[in-house]
C-alpha cells in the first residue's frame, strides 16, 4: 500500500512538488539563517573579545563601574603581581595586560612644526615575541606595510589613518595625551608598520604600541587598564568564564574601588542581552519558518484535498476507512517532509559552507560604524545545523497535512454517490 | 434456512419499512417511505424513477454509505443501521462493488493499478493481486490496456475499468449508479453486455439506479420508485436487441 501511495505521490506533481519545494526551501533557509547567525555571532563576540574585553577581564572595580567613561586614572596597579597570580591560578587561560588611551597624533614637518594633527584611539599591548596578543589581535596577518614594533618607541598605525596623515614608515610622530595622574603627556614614536584589521572601528584611527612604552609615556609604571584573559579553545564559554570569575572574586573580596575584580565578557562587553537574544534567535527563526511553512503546507493540503476530492470519495466508497485515508495522507506528508527536509538540509548546508569559506563583505553597509566586528561575516556550520531545519521541516509538513487532512472526517458517505456521480 | 441476520441465505439485501428523511432548512424531506424489498443472489435489478424519486438514497443505504431514519436494511446479513462507520467500510471493502456515473478512476494510476486498489485494501499478496487483476481486466476485455492511464482511455474503456475495479474482489453485490449516463449508445450497450456476462458467469448481484431506457432494457427486475415509495416491482425478460 505504501508503494502504491508513493507511486501516486510522485506521479502527481501538484501533490508532491509544491509541498516538497516549500519544505526544501524553508528548511534550506532555516539552516542557512542558523549557520549565518552563528557565524555572525561568533564574529561579533570574537572581535569583541579580541579588541575590547577578552573572554574575562580583570580591572579595578572603579574601572568596571565607570564603563565606557573609564580613564587611565582608574587603572590597575601592580600588574606584574596580578599577572603572576592569574598565570598561577588559571594556567590554561592566556592573560595579557592592555591599556586604552586617547589623544592626538601630531605629525611634524621637516622643521619640526606641526604639519597635521588628528585624534587617535590608542591600544597598548604586550608586543614581545612570546605575547599571546600577536595571535589574539592577528597582528602579523593584519600588517598592511612595514613590520611589527621590535624596538622601544615603535608603533603601528591603522593603514588608512597613516595614509590620511601622510605618515610613512620610519617617520616620527608625537602622541599628545594625559598621564595617569591627569597631566599632559607627550611622547615621540616611530612608525614601524601599518595595519588593516578589516574592522572599521579599528581601521579608522588606531594606534598600537607596546604597553611598556605607554607605561612610560603615560606615567603608568607597573599599571594597565585591564588584564584580559582568553579561554583555551578560543571560543567564549559563558559557564566557564563565570566559574573563573567567581573563583577569582572569591579570593578578592576587597570592596576597595581600586581592588581588582574579574568580569566575564557577558558583563564586561555590555552584550549580556545580546548573548541571550542570539541564543534564542535560532529557535525563533526555526519557529517562524516552521509556522510559515505549516500554514503554507496546510493550505497546500487543503488545495490538494479539493483536487483529490473525487479520489478520496472513491476510496471511501470502495471501503477504505476514514482513518486509513487520513493515515495515508499523513504518510504521504511524512514522505514529502522527509525528502524535502533532506534536500533542504543539503542545500542549506551547501550555501552555509559557501558562506563559511567565502563570507559576505558588509563593510559597504556600515561606513561609519563603531561596532567591533569583522567586515566579512561568515556562516559557521555546527552539528545542530543538521537538525535545526530537518526536524521542523518534517513537523511542518506533517502538521500541515494533519490539519488539512481532518477534512476527510467531515465527508459524509451518504453524499458520496451524489458527489461521485456529478 | 435463515442466517444470523434473520434473512434467507439467497437473500442478499432486504429492507423492511425503510424510511429516510432529510432536514432541509426547517422542513423535512421524505426521500424514502416504507420501502420493503428483497434482492436475491444473482439478480440483475434496477431502481427506476425520475430525479428525486429516492433511488440513489436507497442505493446509498444498500451500499452502507447511509443509514435509514427508521425501518431496517439488511445487507449480506449485516444490519446497516447497526454498523459503525468502520464496520460499514469493511463490509464495502470485502463484499460490495460500486460503479459510478463518472467512472471516478484514480487519475495518476494505470488501469491495472486502479483495478488493483480494492485488493490492496484487502491486504492480498502481490501474486494474488496480479492474478485477480489480470482476470478482471480480461472479463471486461481490457487486458491489453492494463498500462494505460485514464486519460488515455475512452469513456467506454474507462467505465469498463471501473467495472473491473468493482468486481475484481469478487463481491456479492455490485451497485451501479447511472453507469451509462456519460456514454453513447454503442458503449452503453457494450458495458451492459459486460455486466450481464459477469452477472451470469460470476453470479454477482447487480442493482442499478437509473432512468436510462438503455439500461432498463437489460434489467430482469424493474423496481419503480415514485416520491420515495415503491410504485411497481416487476420481473421481466430483458430486451437486448
Amino acid at each position: 500500500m505504501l508503494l502504491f501511495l508513493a507511486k501516486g505521490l510522485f506521479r502527481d506533481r501538484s501533490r508532491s512538488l509544491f509541498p516538497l519545494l516549500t519544505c526544501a526551501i524553508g528548511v534550506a533557509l532555516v539552516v542557512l539563517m542558523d549557520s549565518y547567525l552563528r557565524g555572525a555571532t561568533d564574529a561579533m563576540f570574537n572581535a569583541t573579545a579580541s579588541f575590547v574585553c577578552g573572554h574575562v577581564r580583570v580591572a579595578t572595580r572603579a574601572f568596571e563601574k565607570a564603563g565606557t567613561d573609564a580613564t587611565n586614572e582608574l587603572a590597575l596597579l601592580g600588574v606584574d603581581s596580578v599577572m603572576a597570580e592569574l598565570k598561577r591560578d588559571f594556567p590554561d587561560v592566556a592573560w595579557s595586560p592592555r591599556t586604552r588611551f586617547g589623544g592626538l597624533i601630531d605629525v611634524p614637518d621637516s622643521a619640526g612644526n606641526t604639519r597635521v594633527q588628528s585624534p587617535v584611539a590608542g591600544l597598548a599591548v604586550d608586543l614581545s615575541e612570546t605575547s599571546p596578543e600577536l595571535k589574539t589581535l592577528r597582528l602579523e596577518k593584519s600588517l598592511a606595510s612595514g613590520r611589527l614594533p621590535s624596538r622601544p618607541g615603535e608603533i603601528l598605525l591603522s593603514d588608512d589613518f597613516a595614509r590620511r596623515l601622510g605618515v610613512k614608515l620610519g617617520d616620527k610622530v608625537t602622541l599628545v595625551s594625559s598621564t595617569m595622574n591627569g597631566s599632559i603627556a607627550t611622547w615621540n614614536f616611530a612608525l614601524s608598520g601599518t595595519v588593516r584589521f578589516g574592522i572599521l572601528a579599528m581601521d579608522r584611527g588606531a594606534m598600537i604600541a607596546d604597553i611598556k612604552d605607554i607605561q612610560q609615556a603615560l606615567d603608568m609604571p607597573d599599571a594597565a587598564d585591564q588584564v584580559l584573559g582568553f579561554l583555551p579553545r578560543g571560543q567564549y564559554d559563558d559557564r566557564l568564564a563565570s566559574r573563573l570569575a567567581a573563583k577569582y572574586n572569591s579570593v578578592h573580596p576587597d570592596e576597595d574601588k581600586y581592588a581588582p575584580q574579574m568580569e566575564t565578557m557577558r558583563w564586561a562587553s555590555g552584550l549580556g542581552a545580546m548573548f541571550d537574544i542570539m541564543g534564542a534567535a535560532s529557535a525563533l527563526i526555526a519557529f517562524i519558518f516552521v509556522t510559515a511553512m505549516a500554514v503554507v503546507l496546510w493550505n497546500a493540503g487543503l488545495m490538494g484535498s479539493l483536487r483529490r476530492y473525487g479520489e478520496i470519495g472513491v476510496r471511501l466508497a470502495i471501503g477504505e476507512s476514514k482513518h486509513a485515508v487520513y493515515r495515508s495522507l499523513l504518510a504521504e506528508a511524512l514522505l514529502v517532509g522527509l525528502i524535502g527536509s533532506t534536500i533542504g538540509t543539503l542545500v542549506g548546508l551547501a550555501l552555509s559552507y559557501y558562506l563559511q569559506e567565502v563570507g559576505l563583505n558588509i563593510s559597504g553597509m556600515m561606513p561609519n560604524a563603531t561596532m567591533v566586528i569583522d567586515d566579512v561575516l561568515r556562516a559557521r556550520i555546527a552539528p545542530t545545523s543538521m537538525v535545526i531545519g530537518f526536524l521542523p521541516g518534517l513537523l511542518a509538513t506533517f502538521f500541515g497535512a494533519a490539519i488539512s487532512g481532518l477534512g476527510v472526517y467531515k465527508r459524509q458517505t451518504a453524499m458520496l454517490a451524489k458527489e461521485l456521480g456529478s | 434456512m435463515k442466517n444470523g441476520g434473520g434473512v434467507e441465505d439467497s437473500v442478499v439485501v432486504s429492507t423492511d419499512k425503510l424510511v429516510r428523511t432529510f432536514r432541509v432548512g426547517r422542513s423535512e424531506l421524505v426521500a424514502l417511505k416504507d420501502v420493503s424489498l428483497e434482492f436475491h443472489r444473482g439478480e440483475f435489478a434496477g431502481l427506476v424513477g425520475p430525479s428525486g424519486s429516492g433511488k440513489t438514497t436507497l442505493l446509498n443505504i444498500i451500499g452502507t454509505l447511509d443509514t435509514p431514519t427508521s425501518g431496517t436494511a439488511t445487507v449480506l446479513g449485516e444490519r446497516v443501521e447497526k454498523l459503525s462507520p468502520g464496520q460499514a467500510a469493511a463490509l464495502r471493502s470485502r463484499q460490495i462493488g460500486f460503479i459510478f456515473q463518472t467512472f471516478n478512476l484514480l487519475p495518476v494510476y494505470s488501469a491495472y493499478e486502479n483495478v488493483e486498489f480494492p485488493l490492496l485494501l484487502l491486504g492480498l499478496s502481490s501474486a494474488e493481486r496480479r492474478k485477480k487483476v489480470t482476470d478482471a481486466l480480461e472479463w471486461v476485455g481490457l487486458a491489453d490496456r492494463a498500462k494505460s492511464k485514464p486519460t488515455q482511455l475512452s469513456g467506454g474503456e474507462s467505465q469498463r475499468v471501473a467495472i473491473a475495479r468493482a468486481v475484481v474482489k469478487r463481491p456479492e453485490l455490485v451497485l451501479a449508479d447511472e453507469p451509462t449516463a456519460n456514454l453513447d449508445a454503442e458503449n452503453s450497450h457494450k458495458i451492459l453486455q459486460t455486466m450481464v456476462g459477469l452477472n451470469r458467469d460470476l453470479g454477482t448481484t447487480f442493482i442499478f439506479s437509473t432512468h436510462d431506457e438503455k439500461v432498463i432494457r437489460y434489467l430482469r427486475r424493474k423496481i419503480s420508485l415514485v416520491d420515495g415509495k415503491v410504485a411497481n416491482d416487476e420481473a421481466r425478460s430483458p430486451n437486448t436487441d
Side-chain angles (χ1 to χ4, degrees):
Chain A
M1 188 68 176
L2 278 176
L3 184 64
F4 188 84
L5 290 174
K7 274 187 206 169
L9 189 61
F10 291 108
R11 286 177 193 168
D12 183 359
R13 289 191 180 172
S14 60
R15 207 194 307 175
S16 52
L17 192 62
F18 178 71
L20 197 132
L21 283 177
T22 305
C23 179
I25 291 169
V27 169
L29 286 175
V30 169
V31 173
L32 182 64
M33 293 291 281
D34 175 67
S35 303
Y36 191 71
L37 197 65
R38 185 181 301 108
T41 308
D42 283 357
M44 186 165 65
F45 290 163
N46 288 341
T48 302
S50 298
F51 291 98
V52 180
C53 60
H55 294 141
V56 286
R57 172 168 79 184
V58 176
T60 63
R61 288 160 198 275
F63 185 91
E64 292 290 1
K65 193 175 176 185
T68 52
D69 297 330
T71 57
N72 292 337
E73 68 185 75
L74 305 177
L76 200 59
L77 300 177
V79 168
D80 288 346
S81 64
V82 170
M83 284 287 290
E85 181 194 2
L86 289 169
K87 285 179 177 176
R88 184 194 67 218
D89 293 346
F90 307 100
D92 295 335
V93 181
W95 297 103
S96 188
R98 282 190 190 177
T99 294
R100 290 187 166 276
F101 57 93
L104 289 172
I105 282 286
D106 183 288
V107 182
D109 60 16
S110 55
N113 298 319
T114 296
R115 179 167 61 82
V116 63
Q117 274 189 343
S118 179
V120 68
L123 180 63
V125 298
D126 177 8
L127 288 175
S128 64
E129 284 182 1
T130 55
S131 169
E133 295 285 23
L134 302 183
K135 187 180 165 194
T136 305
L137 293 174
R138 299 173 292 180
L139 284 176
E140 283 177 342
K141 281 186 184 172
S142 303
L143 263 181
S145 65
R147 57 172 173 75
L148 296 181
S150 58
R151 290 190 287 269
E154 290 184 334
I155 58 164
L156 298 168
L157 288 178
S158 47
D159 195 57
D160 290 347
F161 187 45
R163 282 174 203 272
R164 236 176 23 249
L165 293 174
V167 184
K168 297 184 182 64
L169 296 178
D171 283 359
K172 298 281 184 194
V173 295
T174 302
L175 169 69
V176 182
S177 185
S178 63
T179 69
M180 189 176 168
N181 303 312
S183 308
I184 289 179
T186 58
W187 203 266
N188 292 329
F189 293 96
L191 184 68
S192 72
T194 62
V195 285
R196 194 179 294 123
F197 292 106
I199 294 172
L200 277 167
M202 292 296 294
D203 288 342
R204 200 173 292 136
M207 163 183 165
I208 293 175
D210 187 77
I211 195 162
K212 286 196 164 32
D213 288 343
I214 293 302
Q215 282 174 337
Q216 273 190 293
L218 304 185
D219 195 17
M220 300 173 68
D222 197 19
D225 276 355
Q226 50 201 310
V227 176
L228 303 189
F230 296 90
L231 299 179
R233 277 182 290 179
Q235 290 287 331
Y236 181 67
D237 179 340
D238 197 42
R239 284 187 188 173
L240 176 60
S242 298
R243 275 208 307 276
L244 298 184
K247 183 180 173 187
Y248 183 85
N249 293 334
S250 67
V251 294
H252 293 276
D254 197 344
E255 290 297 322
D256 184 90
K257 69 177 185 175
Y258 292 109
Q261 73 169 18
M262 190 185 287
E263 287 282 15
T264 64
M265 185 167 84
R266 165 183 276 269
W267 301 111
S269 63
L271 294 175
M274 187 73 89
F275 275 85
D276 297 332
I277 290 168
M278 289 301 187
S282 283
L284 188 67
I285 287 171
F287 176 76
I288 289 169
F289 273 89
V290 168
T291 308
M293 264 196 292
V295 170
V296 172
L297 291 167
W298 171 18
N299 276 289
L302 288 174
M303 296 295 286
S305 297
L306 284 177
R307 279 188 63 257
R308 299 172 69 188
Y309 200 73
E311 176 203 326
I312 290 169
V314 170
R315 288 167 60 178
L316 292 172
I318 286 176
E320 193 170 5
S321 70
K322 288 180 177 177
H323 294 315
V325 172
Y326 187 65
R327 278 199 302 272
S328 75
L329 293 176
L330 295 185
E332 285 180 9
L334 273 180
L335 192 61
V336 167
L338 202 65
I339 295 169
S341 296
T342 304
I343 293 171
T345 300
L346 291 175
V347 171
L349 287 175
L351 294 172
S352 300
Y353 182 75
Y354 176 80
L355 276 181
Q356 180 175 280
E357 297 303 312
V358 178
L360 182 68
N361 193 324
I362 59 166
S363 59
M365 300 177 200
M366 44 180 209
N368 300 310
T370 54
M371 201 160 117
V372 181
I373 188 166
D374 279 349
D375 288 355
V376 178
L377 289 184
R378 294 175 189 280
R380 179 162 72 84
I381 296 171
T384 51
S385 308
M386 313 292 169
V387 292
I388 188 99
F390 188 88
L391 288 179
L394 202 59
L395 289 177
T397 319
F398 184 79
F399 284 126
I403 297 169
S404 61
L406 287 173
V408 168
Y409 290 100
K410 292 180 183 164
R411 288 293 288 269
Q412 292 182 320
T413 51
M415 303 304 291
L416 286 179
K418 201 162 276 181
E419 290 168 358
L420 297 172
S422 59
Chain B
M1 191 167 32
K2 303 272 184 182
N3 66 10
V7 179
E8 284 180 32
D9 257 354
S10 67
V11 176
V12 178
V13 176
S14 71
T15 64
D16 185 29
K17 294 178 183 170
L18 199 65
V19 175
R20 181 66 171 103
T21 58
F22 294 100
R23 184 159 290 284
V24 181
R26 289 183 180 179
S27 59
E28 198 169 64
L29 176 74
V30 180
L32 293 174
K33 190 175 180 185
D34 289 335
V35 174
S36 298
L37 289 168
E38 277 191 355
F39 293 92
H40 294 260
R41 181 162 289 124
E43 278 204 56
F44 203 79
L47 305 171
V48 179
S51 289
S53 60
K55 53 190 191 298
T56 298
T57 304
L58 182 55
L59 209 67
N60 272 340
I61 292 173
I62 294 171
T64 73
L65 294 172
D66 197 5
T67 51
T69 307
S70 68
T72 62
T74 306
V75 177
L76 300 162
E78 304 285 351
R79 291 281 288 273
V80 173
E81 64 275 14
K82 292 184 179 175
L83 293 176
S84 68
Q87 288 170 326
L91 182 62
R92 289 198 299 276
S93 171
R94 286 194 313 271
Q95 302 282 18
I96 303 173
F98 285 90
I99 299 167
F100 303 102
Q101 177 181 332
T102 50
F103 326 137
N104 286 295
L105 299 181
L106 306 181
V108 295
Y109 295 102
S110 66
Y112 181 97
E113 289 161 342
N114 266 282
V115 177
E116 185 186 25
F117 182 67
L119 304 181
L120 286 166
L121 296 182
L122 294 175
L124 298 189
S125 70
S126 171
E128 284 177 294
R129 294 201 306 269
R130 195 175 309 118
K131 170 84 173 63
K132 285 176 182 284
V133 173
T134 308
D135 286 349
L137 285 171
E138 278 174 6
W139 292 334
V140 298
L142 284 177
D144 58 333
R145 304 302 303 272
K147 290 182 180 172
S148 301
K149 293 279 173 57
T151 49
Q152 298 167 317
L153 298 172
S154 68
E157 287 172 329
S158 294
Q159 191 60 304
R160 279 195 276 160
V161 173
I163 293 169
R165 180 176 65 186
V167 299
V168 69
K169 60 194 173 190
R170 302 288 295 269
E172 288 281 344
L173 178 62
V174 170
L175 304 175
D177 188 19
E178 306 280 9
T180 56
N182 285 338
L183 299 177
D184 57 28
E186 187 184 345
N187 274 310
S188 298
H189 182 66
K190 284 182 184 171
I191 290 295
L192 287 160
Q193 283 189 328
T194 301
M195 289 195 269
V196 167
L198 290 168
N199 169 252
R200 181 187 60 229
D201 299 340
L202 304 178
T204 308
T205 307
F206 278 80
I207 301 176
F208 294 83
S209 153
T210 187
H211 56 253
D212 185 348
E213 279 301 324
K214 296 190 293 287
V215 178
I216 294 169
R217 283 163 52 197
Y218 278 82
L219 299 177
R220 293 202 299 274
R221 181 183 175 194
K222 177 182 166 189
I223 300 156
S224 301
L225 293 175
V226 177
D227 295 335
K229 289 182 184 174
V230 177
N232 190 29
D233 184 353
E234 58 173 324
R236 56 199 297 278
S237 299
N239 172 15
T240 57
D241 293 338

